[in-house]
Amino acid sequence: MVSRAGPTTSALFLLCCVGSWLTSHTFPTLGPTERGKIFKELRSLSKTLLEDYVKEEKGVPTSQSYTLPCLIPDAQPPNNINISAIQTYLQTISQLRDTTTMGEIIEHLDKLKFQDASKTNISAPTGTLEHKRFILTILTQFSECMELASKLLNSEAQRAG
Ligand SMILES: *[C@@H]1O[C@H](CO)[C@@H](O)[C@H](O)[C@H]1NC(C)=O
Ligand SMILES: *[C@@H]1O[C@H](CO)[C@@H](O)[C@H](O)[C@H]1NC(C)=O
């Protein structure tokens, strides 16, 4: 098909098909419905994780120094959630503080993961308070990120009918 295609056709091919190629290769085994279910679970688990942490560590402030890279700039939904970065951050936190909820979240992220897990380690800050602020900040942003992801997926599902 490529050999027969003229320049215009190639351009159209790129426009139309690379998008869906990316979509299908990005999530090789998951359809939108399954993906939606996982993100729904993640949204609820991320809230639980955050609520539990806030209950346990009362009065810890968040910090402007930490940012969870939630979205991939220039990518189209639903493939614009930086799962690999999110997983790296959560794995770092789970090394500091492992819970059942955290384990479930990491399992779900594994199912969504399409890129190789980022090889970079995130170095958690030292110092007890800074440590807690890091965890609280990332967990807060994770919960917001999953809220956003669910919204993006819902609108995708609605468009798909
Ligand atoms: C995801 O986030 C990480 C950490 O910020 C970044 O290095 C990586 O390039 C991002 N992935 C994509 C596909 O943009
Ligand atoms: C990341 O951390 C793990 C566990 O501490 C270590 O085994 C690994 O070598 C580190 N990777 C890099 C790239 O620093």
Side-chain angles (χ1 to χ4, degrees), residues 54-80:
V54 169
K55 247 183 254 161
E56 230 175 86
E57 303 288 353
K58 287 197 184 72
V60 172
T62 52
S63 164
Q64 308 267 321
S65 312
Y66 313 114
T67 307
L68 175 72
C70 172
L71 295 179
I72 298 170
D74 305 329
Q76 293 301 308
N79 297 321
N80 60 344

Side-chain angles (χ1 to χ4, degrees), residues 93-159:
I93 293 178
S94 77
Q95 280 159 19
L96 308 168
R97 193 174 175 289
D98 208 3
T99 63
T100 322
T101 310
M102 181 60 102
E104 286 177 50
I105 287 174
I106 288 179
E107 254 176 51
H108 280 305
L109 289 172
D110 266 335
K111 288 184 234 158
L112 293 172
K113 200 175 59 192
F114 49 89
Q115 308 137 324
D116 283 338
S118 156
K119 299 287 186 293
T120 49
N121 282 338
I122 296 170
S123 43
T126 50
T128 313
L129 178 62
E130 206 47 37
H131 210 123
K132 288 178 180 171
R133 295 182 73 184
F134 170 75
I135 296 178
L136 180 68
T137 306
I138 297 300
L139 292 188
T140 304
Q141 292 180 10
F142 175 53
S143 175
E144 289 164 1
C145 178
M146 290 303 104
E147 189 72 44
L148 181 66
S150 305
K151 282 204 190 107
L152 291 174
L153 281 166
N154 275 341
S155 54
E156 182 207 15
Q158 273 161 21
R159 270 198 312 273

